[in-house]
């Protein structure tokens, strides 16, 4: 467990060497303390009061389920900036516009330490929810940042060291949707035709309590639940009209990978990924969605009969984990996720078209990187019953010399999951990097893993901006990542949350 004194001591120690430049306003926690206060020279367009606390929500028939939930109030800013998902344990959706300045008062009212991370947003170190800033129960941390990301769907979740998996599982997650002018001009389906869909797996006791694993083996592998919830609900059915829709999927599961496919075999028109719209739509027979990844589709229900139902499934693939939890849906098994029911005609019809060009993506290329010959290479590995990155475990405030990068540089980074070195247990790892998003430039697979790989690889969508990439057993993925604007410690880790909590996480030190 995270020991408070330990982290605080480390934190002070680190501050003492002057490596941190930007934490004015920090005072150290006692009960009810404002750990980071609002600064007077920041002029917010939006102010939100955000509290993590327990709640009872209806999930299954019978008793309500006790969860931890983000509650939010909009204190200042355009109406609709904070939008509840009715009846869900998920936090409300934040609707931001690129260029807005946002202040969020985060209040921790769960009975353990907590801190919030804005997954995919490019913000300074003190605003990023690094676990070194975890605050005690009862305390407050004020975030202030400008939304500089392009339009897309991002998300927020707790990021408390060694407790992230448990806290996210208990409900501490929500969506952030960023809009910008470029996107608004496209006339994509909007309003009630632009819908977020968060897929998570959970297990419940007979009394409707959430049940989470305590078995070592499940921690090693990652939690797999017994049933699928969509936006916090089981047996989710989406009523639609005979028109075109934009559906935005987040895999908000701790560790489960989905192979999304329609039961009638119709292909997907994919328009976006982690960092928003692609340059133009691509077609996929199925979509592979690993934890923390997002994918956006444009889907047309105009030709469907009223009353028709389409089911979204996870299609079979070669599972890599054999679980001990008896009733868990097996990895790679086939099951349904949700259904869509064409319920109504579209008044006045819908004649909208999907634009040919969706966005402009500035391609990062090797001519601009700091290390074209020597990629920053990170080996993913199991050793001594733990997960390691280049043989290192997580250290709150440490980075090795190879993890030091110059600010405003672009780096070639490789995650190697047994492509070069054989042996050891190999699992898929959804690798995530904080800070700016990256572009994938190459995937290589070791021959003897080809079969597993081929059962998922057609579903990758690699040609947009990404912040999380699934690295399959035997695979090496190469990408280019910019480290612009902000110095400091920025995490990279496996987004299998059990792996992350076991220490499969490290810092880049941007200097
Ligand atoms: Cu979504 Cu460091 O996490
Ligand atoms: Cu993140
Ligand atoms: Cu992992």
């Amino acid at each position: 467990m995270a020991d408070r004194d330990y982290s605080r001591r480390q934190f002070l120690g680190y501050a003492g060497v002057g490596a941190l430049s930007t934490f004015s306003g920090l005072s150290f926690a006692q009960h009810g303390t404002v750990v980071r206060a609002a600064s007077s020279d920041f002029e917010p367009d939006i102010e939100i009061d955000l509290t993590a606390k327990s709640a009872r929500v209806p999930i299954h028939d019978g008793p309500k389920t006790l969860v931890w939930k983000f509650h939010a109030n909009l204190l200042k800013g355009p109406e609709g900036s904070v939008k509840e998902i009715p009846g869900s344990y998920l936090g409300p959706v934040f609707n931001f516009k690129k260029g807005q300045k946002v202040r969020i008062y985060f209040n921790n009212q769960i009975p353990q330490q907590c801190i919030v991370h804005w997954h995919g947003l490019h913000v300074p170190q003190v605003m990023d929810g690094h676990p070194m800033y975890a605050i005690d129960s009862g305390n407050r941390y004020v975030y202030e940042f400008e939304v500089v990301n392009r339009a897309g769907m991002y998300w927020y979740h707790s990021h408390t060291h060694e407790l992230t998996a448990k806290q996210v599982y208990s409900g501490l997650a929500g969506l952030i949707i960023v809009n910008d002018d470029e996107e608004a001009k496209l006339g994509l389906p909007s309003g009630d035709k632009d819908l977020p869909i968060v897929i998570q797996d959970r297990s419940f006791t007979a009394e409707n309590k959430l049940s989470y694993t305590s078995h070592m083996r499940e921690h090693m592998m990652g939690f797999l639940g017994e049933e699928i919830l969509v936006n916090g609900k089981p047996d989710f059915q989406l009523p639609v009209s005979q028109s075109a829709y934009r559906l935005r999927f987040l895999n908000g599961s701790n560790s489960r990978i989905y192979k999304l496919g329609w039961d009638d075999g119709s292909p997907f028109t994919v328009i976006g990924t982690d960092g928003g719209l692609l340059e133009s739509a691509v077609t996929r027979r199925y979509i592979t969605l690993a934890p923390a990844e997002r994918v956006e589709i444009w889907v047309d229900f105009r030709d469907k009969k009223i009353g028709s139902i389409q089911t979204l499934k996870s299609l079979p693939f070669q599972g890599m984990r054999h679980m001990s939890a008896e009733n868990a849906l097996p990895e790679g098994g086939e099951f349904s996720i949700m259904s869509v029911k064409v319920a109504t005609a579209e008044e006045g019809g819908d004649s909208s078209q999907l634009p040919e060009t969706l966005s402009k993506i500035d391609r990062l290329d090797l001519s601009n990187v700091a290390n074209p010959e020597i990629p920053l290479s990170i080996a993913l590995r199991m050793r001594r019953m733990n997960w390691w990155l280049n043989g290192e475990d997580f250290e709150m405030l440490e980075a090795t010399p190879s993890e030091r990068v110059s600010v405003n540089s672009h780096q070639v980074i490789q995650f190697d999951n047994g492509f070069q070195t054989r042996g050891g247990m190999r699992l898929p790892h959804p690798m995530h990097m904080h800070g700016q998003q990256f572009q994938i430039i190459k995937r290589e697979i070791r021959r003897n893993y080809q079969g597993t790989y081929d059962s998922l690889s057609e579903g990758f969508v690699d040609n947009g901006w990404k912040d999380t990439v699934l690295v399959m057993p035997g695979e090496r993925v190469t990408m280019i990542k910019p480290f612009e604007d902000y110095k400091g410690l920025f995490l990279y880790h496996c987004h299998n949350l059990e792996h992350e909590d076991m220490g499969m996480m490290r810092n880049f030190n941007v200097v």
Side-chain angles (χ1 to χ4, degrees), residues 208-223:
N208 289 348
K209 294 201 172 93
L210 272 172
S211 68
Y212 183 63
T213 171
S214 52
H215 293 119
M216 187 57 192
R217 185 174 163 77
E218 262 182 292
H219 279 278
M220 298 289 312
M221 300 292 185
F223 173 85

Side-chain angles (χ1 to χ4, degrees), residues 117 119-120 432 434:
H117 167 59
H119 180 123
H432 168 53
H434 285 214

Side-chain angles (χ1 to χ4, degrees), residues 31 89 119 150 152 161 164 180 210 223 226 242 256 283 307 328 371 396 400 418 474:
H31 205 68
Y89 59 78
H119 180 123
R150 65 204 292 269
H161 185 42
T164 297
D180 64 18
L210 272 172
F223 173 85
E226 295 171 7
Q242 287 171 313
R256 185 181 291 279
T283 303
N371 59 339
M396 188 67 83
T400 60

